[in-house]
Amino acid sequence: MSQSLQMASNGEQQRALWLSTFAFTVCFAVWMIFSIIGIQISEQLGLNDTQFGLLIATPVLTGSLSRVFLGIWSDQFGGRKVMLLVMLCGAVATWMLTYATTYLQFLFAALCVGIAGGSFSVGVAYVSKWFPASKQGTALGIFGAGNIGSAVTKLLAPMVMVAAGWTMVAKVWAVGLAVTAILFFLLSKDDPQLEQRRRDGVKPVPFAEQMAPLKDLQVWRFSLYYFFVFGGFVALALWLPRYLIGAYGMDVGTAGILAACYSIPASLFRVVGGWLSDRIGARRVMYWTFGVSVICTFLLAYPDTEYVVKGIHGELRFHLAIGVTLFTVLVFVLGFFMSLGKAAVYKHIPVYYPKHVGAVGGVVGMIGGLGGFVLPIAFGALNDVVGIWSSCFMLLFVVVFAALVWMHFAIRRMERKHFPQLDKETDLPEAMDTQHGRA
């Protein structure tokens, strides 16, 4: 443990962690605001599914692209100040959203609101500096549970929107974010490493040096993992209310509540994922995540289908479809394992790149966030082109299967590199007996 961490008390560590988690929760609630108000705006403007997908995904673009720079600035100047700046900018942008009237104006406003999503890389860089490596998985898991802000928006925003319209939702969320920004800055303090650098007169690490680890292919493999576990989460958090209204004919309030059945486990259980990553290893958690996600997305991708079989005594008809109850259970399970995976991915970063958490965490977060931007647009386009509601889960199945295959073969390649004798062995016991002359 470094000298700066030894000087930090347990109370200071916990205060930094919980203040950051609360701030990220509010930021995430603002970042996901279009998942609810976008439905009313879409009706107001008469948008098709592709245009709707672009609208709800646009905030994710800004929140994703900004993560690299915000993460690096957090390493250089301290996460406390950068978090304050991000939240205040997000609050102003959310309030200004109420003045938009045309589709292009809404897209521009959504682009500005997206800055709130950049708070994630700021918080990762800030929180990780308060804890030793052995506890970073749990700490970052707790911080990442701020994703539950998505569920907050889904549960509360429909009530406010039905009572006073979508503009009131934007105003209330903007005020909440501004108040949170002020409270965070007043109650928090700069991280131990930043204070140590100030005492020692050490200058921040140059930008080019911060970006050096990005040449490593491993960073981009972690990014693909996060593209699914986080990007897929954001995409579904934005898309599910629309999906439930269209596929099952629900009203916005009911759709918001059921969509929260996905968002809540996909957020809260990130804490469990961090704890498990510390206890049994992040690699094993990632195998669980991808394995179960492949099964869930495969089942969810199955469309509502009518079968006609020409039998001996005439036609036999079968109807296969995922009902609301089974759908809710499957997305709950999918959200749970995605939450484990989100924590496991970020357990890797401080361990592999302890001096570049901001840069590497920012890039991984950016790619994951871009998943949350690209996927909703793809969902809408698939609806318009293919015309099948479950096509969104077909796409997610392809993504997670690719991630599982790449991870498995990358791990096998590393094992062979460190243990060359594995190439001479086989998984078939009888073959091993033959090799050793016992056949």
Side-chain angles (χ1 to χ4, degrees), residues 233-247:
F233 160 71
V234 171
L236 286 178
L238 290 168
W239 188 255
L240 277 179
R242 173 75 177 110
Y243 183 96
L244 291 167
I245 291 171

Side-chain angles (χ1 to χ4, degrees), residues 242-362:
R242 173 75 177 110
Y243 183 96
L244 291 167
I245 291 171
Y248 294 102
M250 297 180 182
D251 60 80
V252 66
T254 305
I257 292 172
L258 285 183
C261 291
Y262 166 77
S263 298
I264 291 174
S267 305
L268 287 181
F269 289 108
R270 188 165 182 163
V271 179
V272 179
W275 178 79
L276 284 173
S277 297
D278 283 339
R279 294 293 298 272
I280 66 174
R283 180 183 297 176
R284 186 177 299 176
V285 175
M286 291 307 303
Y287 266 116
W288 289 355
T289 295
F290 290 154
V292 175
S293 295
V294 163
I295 296 171
C296 288
T297 53
F298 177 81
L299 294 175
L300 289 165
Y302 202 86
D304 189 334
T305 307
E306 291 279 355
Y307 287 99
V308 179
V309 179
K310 292 185 178 180
I312 297 174
H313 303 292
E315 293 184 345
L316 301 175
R317 295 181 176 271
F318 299 94
H319 179 215
L320 292 180
I322 300 293
V324 174
T325 301
L326 180 57
F327 179 87
T328 304
V329 171
L330 287 173
V331 295
F332 182 95
V333 173
L334 179 63
F336 172 78
F337 280 93
M338 278 179 150
S339 69
L340 300 186
K342 284 185 285 187
V345 171
Y346 268 86
K347 168 64 178 178
H348 288 82
I349 295 172
V351 175
Y352 283 92
Y353 307 99
K355 297 182 179 179
H356 303 88
V357 175
V360 176

Side-chain angles (χ1 to χ4, degrees), residues 209-227:
E209 187 176 337
Q210 287 275 10
M211 299 295 285
L214 305 188
K215 300 176 182 178
D216 190 349
L217 182 62
Q218 182 172 250
V219 173
W220 301 99
R221 179 161 55 86
F222 293 162
S223 298
L224 176 62
Y225 300 169
Y226 210 61
F227 183 90

Side-chain angles (χ1 to χ4, degrees), residues 146-184:
N147 289 163
I148 201 172
S150 173
V152 172
T153 290
K154 288 183 177 62
L155 292 173
L156 300 182
M159 293 186 289
V160 177
M161 187 170 71
V162 170
W166 70 264
T167 55
M168 183 56 67
V169 178
K171 291 178 180 178
V172 171
W173 266 232
V175 171
L177 185 56
V179 171
T180 302
I182 296 171
L183 290 176
F184 174 83

Side-chain angles (χ1 to χ4, degrees), residues 1-9 12-13 125-136 191-197 199-200 350 354-355:
M1 184 182 297
S2 66
Q3 181 180 355
S4 59
L5 277 178
Q6 290 176 345
M7 296 175 64
S9 67
E12 290 175 326
Q13 291 175 328
Y126 179 68
V127 170
S128 65
K129 289 177 172 56
W130 285 95
F131 294 89
S134 60
K135 297 182 179 180
Q136 284 175 343
D191 65 78
Q193 290 188 22
L194 180 63
E195 293 185 343
Q196 185 70 45
R197 288 209 317 261
R199 287 192 294 267
D200 297 341
K355 297 182 179 179

